[in-house]
Amino acid sequence: MKIIKMFRNFFRNIWKIIDRRIVTPLTKLVVVTSERFGNYSNKFEKWLSRSNTLLFLSLFIAIIVFVIVDQKVLLFSENSAEVLKSQPVNVTYNEEAYVVEGLPKTVDITLIGRKADLYFAKQSPSHDINVDLTGLKPGTHKVTIKYNQALPSLDYKVNPSVATVIIYPKISETKTLTYDMLNQDSLDSKLVVKDVMMENDKVVVKGAEHQLKEVATVKALIDVNNFVKQEVGITTLKDVPLKAYDERGNVVDVEIVPGKINVDVEIASPSKELPIKVIPKGTISFGLAISAIDLSETKVMVYGDEEILDKMKYVPLTVDVKGLKEDHKFKLELVKPSGVRYMSVNNVTVDVKLDQSSDKVINNVNIETRNLSESLAVQGLSAEDTKVSVTAKGVSSVINDIKVEDITAYLDLKGFGVGVHEVEVQVEGSDTRVQYVPKTKKVKIRIVKQS
Protein backbone atom coordinates (compact mmCIF):
# COMPACT_ATOMS: atom_id res chain seq x y z
CA MET A 1 0.00 0.00 0.00
CA LYS A 2 2.87 2.38 0.75
CA ILE A 3 4.36 1.82 -2.72
CA ILE A 4 0.99 2.50 -4.41
CA LYS A 5 0.63 5.69 -2.37
CA MET A 6 4.13 6.78 -3.41
CA PHE A 7 3.35 6.22 -7.12
CA ARG A 8 0.09 8.15 -6.74
CA ASN A 9 1.86 11.06 -5.10
CA PHE A 10 4.57 10.97 -7.76
CA PHE A 11 2.11 11.33 -10.71
CA ARG A 12 0.05 13.87 -8.81
CA ASN A 13 3.15 16.01 -8.42
CA ILE A 14 3.88 15.68 -12.16
CA TRP A 15 0.36 16.85 -13.01
CA LYS A 16 0.75 19.85 -10.72
CA ILE A 17 3.95 20.78 -12.57
CA ILE A 18 2.17 20.47 -15.96
CA ASP A 19 -0.76 22.54 -14.74
CA ARG A 20 1.49 25.23 -13.26
CA ARG A 21 4.04 25.44 -16.09
CA ILE A 22 1.95 24.64 -19.23
CA VAL A 23 -1.84 24.87 -18.87
CA THR A 24 -1.97 28.03 -16.76
CA PRO A 25 0.56 30.02 -18.87
CA LEU A 26 -1.20 28.88 -22.07
CA THR A 27 -4.57 30.08 -20.74
CA LYS A 28 -3.06 33.44 -19.78
CA LEU A 29 -1.60 33.73 -23.28
CA VAL A 30 -5.03 33.15 -24.83
CA VAL A 31 -6.64 35.79 -22.61
CA VAL A 32 -3.92 38.38 -23.29
CA THR A 33 -4.05 37.71 -27.04
CA SER A 34 -7.84 38.06 -26.96
CA GLU A 35 -7.64 41.42 -25.20
CA ARG A 36 -5.03 42.82 -27.58
CA PHE A 37 -6.80 41.87 -30.77
CA GLY A 38 -10.12 43.35 -29.54
CA ASN A 39 -12.29 43.16 -32.70
CA TYR A 40 -10.60 39.97 -33.68
CA SER A 41 -11.67 38.20 -30.49
CA ASN A 42 -14.79 36.74 -32.06
CA LYS A 43 -12.80 35.39 -34.96
CA PHE A 44 -10.24 34.03 -32.54
CA GLU A 45 -12.94 32.32 -30.50
CA LYS A 46 -14.42 30.80 -33.64
CA TRP A 47 -10.98 29.60 -34.64
CA LEU A 48 -10.38 28.20 -31.20
CA SER A 49 -13.79 26.45 -31.19
CA ARG A 50 -13.03 24.48 -34.34
CA SER A 51 -12.56 20.78 -33.77
CA ASN A 52 -9.33 20.74 -35.78
CA THR A 53 -7.82 23.52 -33.63
CA LEU A 54 -8.66 21.74 -30.38
CA LEU A 55 -7.32 18.52 -31.80
CA PHE A 56 -3.97 20.10 -32.67
CA LEU A 57 -3.73 21.83 -29.30
CA SER A 58 -4.50 18.59 -27.46
CA LEU A 59 -1.91 16.79 -29.55
CA PHE A 60 0.66 19.49 -28.80
CA ILE A 61 0.01 19.30 -25.05
CA ALA A 62 0.08 15.50 -25.13
CA ILE A 63 3.49 15.54 -26.84
CA ILE A 64 4.85 17.91 -24.19
CA VAL A 65 3.45 15.77 -21.37
CA PHE A 66 4.91 12.65 -22.98
CA VAL A 67 8.36 14.21 -23.24
CA ILE A 68 8.27 15.31 -19.57
CA VAL A 69 7.06 11.96 -18.28
CA ASP A 70 9.47 10.10 -20.53
CA GLN A 71 12.38 12.12 -19.19
CA LYS A 72 11.27 11.44 -15.62
CA VAL A 73 10.90 7.73 -16.33
CA LEU A 74 14.35 7.62 -17.90
CA LEU A 75 15.74 9.53 -14.98
CA PHE A 76 14.19 7.21 -12.42
CA SER A 77 15.08 4.06 -14.37
CA GLU A 78 18.81 4.77 -14.39
CA ASN A 79 20.98 2.93 -11.88
CA SER A 80 22.59 5.04 -9.18
CA ALA A 81 24.00 4.81 -5.65
CA GLU A 82 23.03 6.44 -2.37
CA VAL A 83 24.99 6.43 0.91
CA LEU A 84 23.14 6.35 4.23
CA LYS A 85 25.67 7.52 6.82
CA SER A 86 25.88 6.73 10.54
CA GLN A 87 23.05 4.22 10.73
CA PRO A 88 22.64 2.75 14.24
CA VAL A 89 23.49 -0.91 14.78
CA ASN A 90 21.10 -3.07 16.83
CA VAL A 91 22.62 -6.01 18.67
CA THR A 92 20.82 -8.99 20.17
CA TYR A 93 22.42 -10.86 23.10
CA ASN A 94 21.87 -11.73 26.76
CA GLU A 95 22.56 -8.35 28.37
CA GLU A 96 22.16 -9.72 31.90
CA ALA A 97 24.93 -12.28 31.49
CA TYR A 98 27.44 -10.77 29.04
CA VAL A 99 29.31 -7.61 28.03
CA VAL A 100 30.15 -7.06 24.34
CA GLU A 101 33.08 -5.00 23.06
CA GLY A 102 34.29 -4.26 19.53
CA LEU A 103 30.93 -3.77 17.83
CA PRO A 104 30.59 -0.40 16.02
CA LYS A 105 27.69 1.76 17.18
CA THR A 106 26.97 3.00 13.64
CA VAL A 107 27.74 1.93 10.05
CA ASP A 108 27.44 3.45 6.56
CA ILE A 109 25.15 1.75 4.01
CA THR A 110 25.63 2.15 0.25
CA LEU A 111 22.43 1.39 -1.71
CA ILE A 112 22.73 0.59 -5.45
CA GLY A 113 19.78 0.41 -7.86
CA ARG A 114 17.25 2.42 -9.84
CA LYS A 115 16.68 5.98 -8.70
CA ALA A 116 12.98 5.29 -8.18
CA ASP A 117 13.80 2.41 -5.82
CA LEU A 118 16.43 4.51 -4.04
CA TYR A 119 13.86 7.24 -3.57
CA PHE A 120 11.39 4.82 -1.98
CA ALA A 121 14.13 3.23 0.16
CA LYS A 122 15.15 6.61 1.58
CA GLN A 123 11.53 7.32 2.54
CA SER A 124 11.46 4.14 4.60
CA PRO A 125 10.87 5.07 8.27
CA SER A 126 13.75 2.91 9.52
CA HIS A 127 16.88 1.17 8.29
CA ASP A 128 17.14 -1.98 10.36
CA ILE A 129 20.74 -3.11 10.91
CA ASN A 130 21.11 -6.15 13.12
CA VAL A 131 23.84 -8.27 14.65
CA ASP A 132 22.59 -11.43 16.35
CA LEU A 133 24.96 -12.77 19.02
CA THR A 134 22.48 -15.20 20.49
CA GLY A 135 24.14 -18.48 21.44
CA LEU A 136 27.73 -17.16 21.33
CA LYS A 137 29.87 -17.90 24.39
CA PRO A 138 32.54 -15.68 26.03
CA GLY A 139 35.52 -15.21 23.73
CA THR A 140 36.45 -13.53 20.44
CA HIS A 141 34.12 -13.87 17.44
CA LYS A 142 33.83 -12.52 13.91
CA VAL A 143 30.26 -11.49 13.12
CA THR A 144 28.51 -10.18 10.02
CA ILE A 145 26.58 -6.91 10.14
CA LYS A 146 23.36 -7.34 8.17
CA TYR A 147 21.00 -4.77 6.70
CA ASN A 148 17.33 -5.68 6.34
CA GLN A 149 16.61 -3.69 3.20
CA ALA A 150 13.11 -2.45 2.40
CA LEU A 151 13.26 -3.29 -1.34
CA PRO A 152 14.76 -6.56 -2.62
CA SER A 153 15.49 -4.90 -5.99
CA LEU A 154 18.33 -2.91 -4.43
CA ASP A 155 21.88 -4.06 -3.83
CA TYR A 156 23.64 -2.84 -0.70
CA LYS A 157 27.04 -2.69 0.94
CA VAL A 158 27.62 -2.19 4.67
CA ASN A 159 30.78 -0.45 5.86
CA PRO A 160 32.10 -2.08 7.96
CA SER A 161 30.35 -5.34 7.09
CA VAL A 162 32.28 -7.54 9.52
CA ALA A 163 33.24 -6.85 13.14
CA THR A 164 35.46 -8.67 15.61
CA VAL A 165 33.68 -8.71 18.95
CA ILE A 166 34.81 -9.89 22.36
CA ILE A 167 32.20 -11.31 24.72
CA TYR A 168 32.93 -11.13 28.47
CA PRO A 169 31.01 -12.56 31.40
CA LYS A 170 29.22 -9.74 33.26
CA ILE A 171 30.09 -9.39 36.97
CA SER A 172 28.99 -6.87 39.58
CA GLU A 173 30.49 -4.93 42.51
CA THR A 174 29.12 -2.57 45.14
CA LYS A 175 30.59 0.95 45.12
CA THR A 176 30.25 3.92 47.47
CA LEU A 177 28.36 6.79 45.88
CA THR A 178 29.67 10.37 46.08
CA TYR A 179 28.59 13.49 44.23
CA ASP A 180 29.84 16.38 42.10
CA MET A 181 28.20 19.80 42.08
CA LEU A 182 28.01 21.18 38.52
CA ASN A 183 27.65 24.87 37.52
CA GLN A 184 28.23 26.16 41.06
CA ASP A 185 28.96 29.61 39.62
CA SER A 186 25.27 29.76 38.67
CA LEU A 187 24.30 29.70 42.37
CA ASP A 188 23.43 33.06 43.96
CA SER A 189 26.66 34.41 45.48
CA LYS A 190 24.95 34.82 48.88
CA LEU A 191 24.03 31.13 48.96
CA VAL A 192 26.05 27.95 49.54
CA VAL A 193 25.28 24.26 49.35
CA LYS A 194 25.37 23.24 53.01
CA ASP A 195 24.52 19.56 52.69
CA VAL A 196 23.59 16.92 50.11
CA MET A 197 21.39 13.97 51.11
CA MET A 198 21.24 11.13 48.55
CA GLU A 199 18.63 8.40 48.77
CA ASN A 200 21.38 5.80 48.22
CA ASP A 201 24.97 5.81 49.42
CA LYS A 202 25.81 2.54 47.63
CA VAL A 203 25.27 1.43 44.03
CA VAL A 204 25.93 -1.74 42.06
CA VAL A 205 28.31 -1.48 39.12
CA LYS A 206 28.09 -4.18 36.42
CA GLY A 207 30.48 -4.92 33.59
CA ALA A 208 33.44 -6.96 32.48
CA GLU A 209 36.10 -7.67 35.11
CA HIS A 210 38.68 -5.38 33.48
CA GLN A 211 36.11 -2.55 33.32
CA LEU A 212 35.25 -2.78 37.01
CA LYS A 213 38.96 -2.62 37.90
CA GLU A 214 39.10 0.79 36.23
CA VAL A 215 36.24 2.26 38.28
CA ALA A 216 37.73 4.52 40.96
CA THR A 217 34.55 6.35 41.95
CA VAL A 218 30.86 6.65 41.12
CA LYS A 219 29.32 10.11 41.34
CA ALA A 220 25.88 11.67 41.23
CA LEU A 221 26.06 14.73 38.96
CA ILE A 222 24.04 17.46 40.70
CA ASP A 223 23.46 20.42 38.38
CA VAL A 224 22.74 23.77 40.05
CA ASN A 225 20.94 24.86 36.85
CA ASN A 226 18.26 22.25 37.64
CA PHE A 227 17.27 23.98 40.89
CA VAL A 228 13.69 25.19 40.51
CA LYS A 229 14.32 27.96 43.06
CA GLN A 230 17.52 29.34 44.53
CA GLU A 231 16.55 30.05 48.12
CA VAL A 232 17.43 28.98 51.65
CA GLY A 233 15.94 25.58 52.44
CA ILE A 234 15.87 22.06 50.97
CA THR A 235 15.56 21.51 47.22
CA THR A 236 14.66 18.04 45.91
CA LEU A 237 16.10 16.93 42.57
CA LYS A 238 14.68 13.84 40.88
CA ASP A 239 16.44 11.47 38.47
CA VAL A 240 19.97 12.77 39.06
CA PRO A 241 22.28 10.85 36.64
CA LEU A 242 25.17 8.71 37.88
CA LYS A 243 28.57 8.31 36.20
CA ALA A 244 31.54 6.04 36.87
CA TYR A 245 35.08 7.47 36.59
CA ASP A 246 38.61 6.08 36.61
CA GLU A 247 41.44 7.55 38.67
CA ARG A 248 42.24 10.07 35.90
CA GLY A 249 38.67 11.37 35.77
CA ASN A 250 37.70 9.62 32.53
CA VAL A 251 34.22 8.12 32.22
CA VAL A 252 34.12 4.31 32.43
CA ASP A 253 31.39 2.69 30.32
CA VAL A 254 29.74 0.35 32.82
CA GLU A 255 26.18 -0.35 33.91
CA ILE A 256 25.16 1.36 37.17
CA VAL A 257 22.16 0.13 39.18
CA PRO A 258 20.23 2.27 39.84
CA GLY A 259 21.18 4.58 36.96
CA LYS A 260 19.50 7.63 38.56
CA ILE A 261 18.64 8.69 42.11
CA ASN A 262 16.74 11.41 43.96
CA VAL A 263 18.75 13.99 45.94
CA ASP A 264 17.84 16.55 48.61
CA VAL A 265 20.11 19.62 48.56
CA GLU A 266 20.18 21.91 51.61
CA ILE A 267 20.92 25.53 50.70
CA ALA A 268 22.09 28.00 53.34
CA SER A 269 23.29 31.59 53.48
CA PRO A 270 26.06 31.84 56.14
CA SER A 271 27.22 35.40 56.81
CA LYS A 272 29.41 37.28 59.24
CA GLU A 273 30.19 40.94 59.87
CA LEU A 274 33.94 41.54 59.99
CA PRO A 275 36.16 44.60 60.48
CA ILE A 276 38.38 45.80 57.64
CA LYS A 277 42.02 45.66 58.67
CA VAL A 278 44.45 47.92 56.78
CA ILE A 279 47.89 46.36 56.29
CA PRO A 280 50.51 48.92 55.13
CA LYS A 281 53.06 47.57 52.67
CA GLY A 282 56.47 49.14 52.11
CA THR A 283 58.58 51.68 54.01
CA ILE A 284 57.48 55.30 54.37
CA SER A 285 59.99 58.10 53.72
CA PHE A 286 62.71 58.46 56.35
CA GLY A 287 61.64 60.24 59.52
CA LEU A 288 57.92 59.77 58.97
CA ALA A 289 55.35 57.30 60.27
CA ILE A 290 51.61 56.70 60.05
CA SER A 291 49.69 58.66 62.66
CA ALA A 292 46.17 57.67 61.59
CA ILE A 293 44.30 55.49 59.10
CA ASP A 294 40.69 56.44 58.35
CA LEU A 295 38.35 54.23 56.31
CA SER A 296 35.18 55.15 54.44
CA GLU A 297 33.85 51.72 55.54
CA THR A 298 35.11 50.03 58.68
CA LYS A 299 33.03 46.82 58.53
CA VAL A 300 31.82 44.48 55.82
CA MET A 301 29.23 41.66 55.71
CA VAL A 302 30.72 38.58 54.11
CA TYR A 303 28.97 35.45 52.76
CA GLY A 304 30.61 32.10 52.13
CA ASP A 305 31.40 28.66 53.51
CA GLU A 306 30.52 28.49 57.20
CA GLU A 307 33.74 26.74 58.23
CA ILE A 308 35.83 29.43 56.55
CA LEU A 309 33.81 32.30 58.02
CA ASP A 310 34.23 30.87 61.54
CA LYS A 311 38.03 31.15 61.21
CA MET A 312 38.03 34.70 59.82
CA LYS A 313 38.66 37.60 62.24
CA TYR A 314 38.94 40.44 59.71
CA VAL A 315 39.07 41.24 55.99
CA PRO A 316 42.60 42.36 55.02
CA LEU A 317 43.18 45.44 52.85
CA THR A 318 46.78 45.99 51.68
CA VAL A 319 47.88 49.62 51.11
CA ASP A 320 51.18 50.37 49.36
CA VAL A 321 52.81 53.23 51.34
CA LYS A 322 56.34 52.81 49.96
CA GLY A 323 58.10 56.19 49.74
CA LEU A 324 55.01 58.11 50.97
CA LYS A 325 56.00 61.70 51.97
CA GLU A 326 52.68 63.32 52.85
CA ASP A 327 49.07 62.53 53.71
CA HIS A 328 47.33 60.62 50.96
CA LYS A 329 43.93 59.14 50.09
CA PHE A 330 43.76 55.77 48.39
CA LYS A 331 40.72 54.39 46.55
CA LEU A 332 41.09 50.62 46.69
CA GLU A 333 39.17 47.50 45.78
CA LEU A 334 38.41 45.14 48.65
CA VAL A 335 39.58 41.69 47.50
CA LYS A 336 37.42 38.73 48.52
CA PRO A 337 39.36 36.27 50.71
CA SER A 338 39.42 32.62 49.64
CA GLY A 339 36.11 30.93 50.45
CA VAL A 340 34.12 34.18 50.47
CA ARG A 341 31.47 34.35 47.73
CA TYR A 342 29.96 37.80 48.35
CA MET A 343 30.80 40.99 50.27
CA SER A 344 28.50 43.92 51.03
CA VAL A 345 31.39 46.37 50.40
CA ASN A 346 33.67 46.17 47.36
CA ASN A 347 35.48 49.55 47.31
CA VAL A 348 37.00 51.52 50.17
CA THR A 349 38.65 54.94 50.52
CA VAL A 350 41.68 54.86 52.83
CA ASP A 351 42.96 58.18 54.24
CA VAL A 352 46.56 57.75 55.46
CA LYS A 353 47.98 60.58 57.62
CA LEU A 354 51.67 61.01 58.45
CA ASP A 355 53.71 62.57 61.28
CA GLN A 356 57.24 62.51 62.66
CA SER A 357 58.54 59.06 63.56
CA SER A 358 59.92 57.91 66.94
CA ASP A 359 61.35 54.65 68.27
CA LYS A 360 60.56 52.57 71.32
CA VAL A 361 62.31 49.39 72.42
CA ILE A 362 60.18 46.68 74.01
CA ASN A 363 62.12 43.92 75.77
CA ASN A 364 61.41 40.32 76.74
CA VAL A 365 59.02 39.41 73.93
CA ASN A 366 58.58 35.62 74.04
CA ILE A 367 59.33 33.74 70.81
CA GLU A 368 56.56 31.41 69.66
CA THR A 369 56.67 28.67 67.03
CA ARG A 370 54.32 28.04 64.12
CA ASN A 371 53.75 25.22 61.62
CA LEU A 372 55.68 22.61 63.60
CA SER A 373 54.66 18.96 63.36
CA GLU A 374 52.74 17.72 66.43
CA SER A 375 55.24 14.91 66.89
CA LEU A 376 58.13 17.38 67.38
CA ALA A 377 59.17 19.81 70.12
CA VAL A 378 61.46 22.89 70.18
CA GLN A 379 64.23 23.76 72.61
CA GLY A 380 66.17 27.05 72.70
CA LEU A 381 69.92 26.58 72.89
CA SER A 382 70.18 29.53 75.34
CA ALA A 383 67.94 32.04 77.15
CA GLU A 384 68.72 34.58 74.42
CA ASP A 385 67.15 32.20 71.91
CA THR A 386 63.76 32.20 73.65
CA LYS A 387 63.14 35.95 74.00
CA VAL A 388 63.79 38.96 71.77
CA SER A 389 63.78 42.75 72.00
CA VAL A 390 61.65 44.58 69.42
CA THR A 391 61.97 48.18 68.19
CA ALA A 392 58.58 49.79 67.51
CA LYS A 393 58.79 52.62 64.96
CA GLY A 394 55.92 55.05 64.68
CA VAL A 395 54.35 58.29 65.83
CA SER A 396 55.08 58.85 69.54
CA SER A 397 51.39 59.14 70.46
CA VAL A 398 50.88 55.65 69.01
CA ILE A 399 53.95 53.76 70.21
CA ASN A 400 53.74 55.10 73.78
CA ASP A 401 50.71 52.90 74.38
CA ILE A 402 52.28 49.70 72.99
CA LYS A 403 52.99 46.98 75.58
CA VAL A 404 54.81 43.67 75.37
CA GLU A 405 51.53 41.74 75.05
CA ASP A 406 50.70 43.75 71.90
CA ILE A 407 53.65 42.21 70.05
CA THR A 408 54.10 38.66 68.77
CA ALA A 409 57.52 37.23 67.82
CA TYR A 410 57.53 33.82 66.14
CA LEU A 411 59.54 31.25 64.19
CA ASP A 412 57.98 29.69 61.07
CA LEU A 413 59.15 26.05 61.30
CA LYS A 414 57.34 24.67 58.25
CA GLY A 415 59.56 22.02 56.67
CA PHE A 416 62.03 21.85 59.58
CA GLY A 417 62.92 18.45 61.04
CA VAL A 418 64.90 16.99 63.93
CA GLY A 419 68.24 18.73 64.57
CA VAL A 420 69.79 22.13 65.34
CA HIS A 421 68.69 25.04 63.16
CA GLU A 422 69.25 28.79 62.92
CA VAL A 423 65.87 30.36 62.15
CA GLU A 424 64.82 33.91 61.24
CA VAL A 425 62.71 35.78 63.83
CA GLN A 426 59.51 37.35 62.55
CA VAL A 427 57.48 39.98 64.38
CA GLU A 428 53.95 41.34 64.12
CA GLY A 429 51.82 43.63 66.24
CA SER A 430 48.20 44.52 66.81
CA ASP A 431 48.57 48.11 65.55
CA THR A 432 49.30 48.19 61.82
CA ARG A 433 50.39 51.86 61.96
CA VAL A 434 53.60 50.75 63.68
CA GLN A 435 56.64 49.07 62.11
CA TYR A 436 58.08 46.26 64.24
CA VAL A 437 61.78 45.33 63.90
CA PRO A 438 63.40 42.54 65.99
CA LYS A 439 66.83 43.43 67.36
CA THR A 440 67.89 39.81 67.09
CA LYS A 441 67.46 38.66 63.48
CA LYS A 442 68.05 34.90 64.00
CA VAL A 443 68.07 32.46 66.89
CA LYS A 444 69.35 28.88 67.33
CA ILE A 445 66.98 26.10 68.28
CA ARG A 446 66.99 22.33 68.61
CA ILE A 447 64.07 20.28 67.29
CA VAL A 448 63.52 16.91 68.96
CA LYS A 449 60.92 14.16 68.80
CA GLN A 450 58.35 14.15 71.55
CA SER A 451 58.54 11.12 73.81
Side-chain angles (χ1 to χ4, degrees), residues 31-44:
V31 173
V32 171
T33 305
S34 174
E35 290 176 354
R36 286 189 176 181
F37 282 96
N39 295 332
Y40 298 100
S41 61
N42 292 333
K43 294 181 180 180
F44 181 77

Side-chain angles (χ1 to χ4, degrees), residues 90-132:
N90 301 315
V91 57
T92 303
Y93 68 100
N94 187 347
E95 297 183 23
E96 292 297 322
Y98 301 115
V99 175
V100 176
E101 291 185 353
L103 193 66
K105 293 183 178 180
T106 62
V107 295
D108 295 338
I109 303 172
T110 303
L111 300 177
I112 304 170
R114 294 184 306 169
K115 288 189 176 180
D117 293 338
L118 293 176
Y119 173 81
F120 294 134
K122 286 195 299 181
Q123 306 310 311
S124 176
S126 64
H127 304 284
D128 195 12
I129 304 160
N130 282 314
V131 177
D132 190 355

Side-chain angles (χ1 to χ4, degrees), residues 382-397:
S382 65
E384 290 77 12
D385 294 318
T386 61
K387 294 180 184 291
V388 67
S389 296
V390 177
T391 301
K393 297 183 178 182
V395 175
S396 57
S397 60

Side-chain angles (χ1 to χ4, degrees), residues 150-163:
L151 296 176
S153 59
L154 289 176
D155 293 328
Y156 72 90
K157 292 181 180 179
V158 179
N159 184 27
S161 60
V162 176

